[in-house]
Amino acid sequence: KLQFLYFIAGYLANMSHPESQTVEHEGEKYRRCSVALLFNPDGDVLVGERVDKSGNWGCPQGGVDVGETDREAATRELYEEVGVKVGENNVSFLTEIETDPSCFYKCPNSWMEKLGMAGQRLSFVAFHIPTRDPPSTFCNLQGLDGEPQEFRAVKWQSLSTTADTIWMPKQPAYQHAAKHLPKIISLIAKL
């Protein structure tokens, strides 16, 4: 009976979460997840306050679907979660940040664990939008392409502040991304 319940839980999780690519780390399987870092000309990053967790701010992110690259997944998530399309309104790709062991985090007692995954590995993809306008003026937070709404509000925030205030298990990965900020700022300056 318990095995049947695990089967149903896994089936339902797959219905609400498309099949994602996985990666092995220290003998365990992790879901590949891509984070979209959208920078303004000042080097601040777009963050959203989660609908389901008041006071919890983070960047658009989601699983890397089968057949997608990290960059493609981040581009898709940026559109689905905040309505920003790369290639429109001068939104451009900047760079991908190489992952390291700090980019893995565990998700105990989650739907991922029920599917045999220990947690997620975050990869970071940086984009640029040439505006300092409040993000609420150009973001659509309704959830697009059939996805539910993720964020209730958006704002600009420094990446270092984001790294220090994001959900604790993600902090090492965001701190890793923040170490690459000088390179990102130099890429923005060249635009």
Side-chain angles (χ1 to χ4, degrees):
K1 204 170 190 180
L2 187 60
Q3 287 179 329
F4 177 73
L5 291 176
Y6 278 124
F7 170 78
I8 294 298
Y11 176 77
L12 292 174
N14 273 333
M15 286 179 57
S16 61
H17 300 281
E19 185 179 358
S20 299
Q21 295 183 47
T22 59
V23 62
E24 292 262 333
H25 175 66
E26 295 180 348
E28 295 183 291
K29 188 165 55 167
Y30 286 78
R31 177 180 184 236
R32 286 180 53 197
C33 186
S34 194
V35 180
L37 298 174
L38 180 64
F39 288 92
N40 69 13
D42 297 327
D44 290 328
V45 70
L46 174 81
V47 294
E49 182 181 19
R50 291 191 48 145
V51 169
D52 59 341
K53 294 182 178 126
S54 183
N56 188 333
W57 294 79
C59 297
Q61 74 169 53
V64 179
D65 293 345
V66 171
E68 276 186 318
T69 64
D70 291 332
R71 181 176 171 178
E72 289 167 338
T75 299
R76 176 179 49 76
E77 293 294 336
L78 191 58
Y79 175 70
E80 289 175 355
E81 295 186 5
V82 295
V84 173
K85 277 192 171 186
V86 176
E88 292 183 5
N89 300 317
N90 295 314
V91 175
S92 59
F93 165 76
L94 289 172
T95 189
E96 291 186 51
I97 297 172
E98 202 169 309
T99 61
D100 79 356
S102 70
C103 294
F104 291 85
Y105 70 95
K106 295 199 177 221
C107 299
N109 305 314
S110 71
W111 63 267
M112 287 177 273
E113 189 176 72
K114 290 174 181 60
L115 295 175
M117 293 177 271
Q120 296 194 108
R121 188 221 46 207
L122 298 182
S123 62
F124 294 86
V125 182
F127 302 93
H128 177 258
I129 187 166
T131 184
R132 292 172 177 86
D133 293 344
S136 60
T137 63
F138 60 84
C139 286
N140 178 344
L141 304 182
Q142 297 308 306
L144 302 169
D145 282 350
E147 293 295 316
Q149 183 176 353
E150 281 289 325
F151 301 119
R152 69 177 78 215
V154 286
K155 66 181 181 181
W156 295 117
Q157 181 170 278
S158 74
L159 183 56
S160 60
T161 297
T162 305
D164 291 341
T165 59
I166 193 127
W167 182 51
M168 194 170 294
K170 294 182 182 181
Q171 286 180 2
Y174 271 77
Q175 289 162 355
H176 167 73
K179 290 178 189 172
H180 295 267
L181 193 55
K183 175 186 174 187
I184 291 167
I185 297 297
S186 71
L187 291 170
I188 292 170
K190 293 177 185 176
L191 297 176

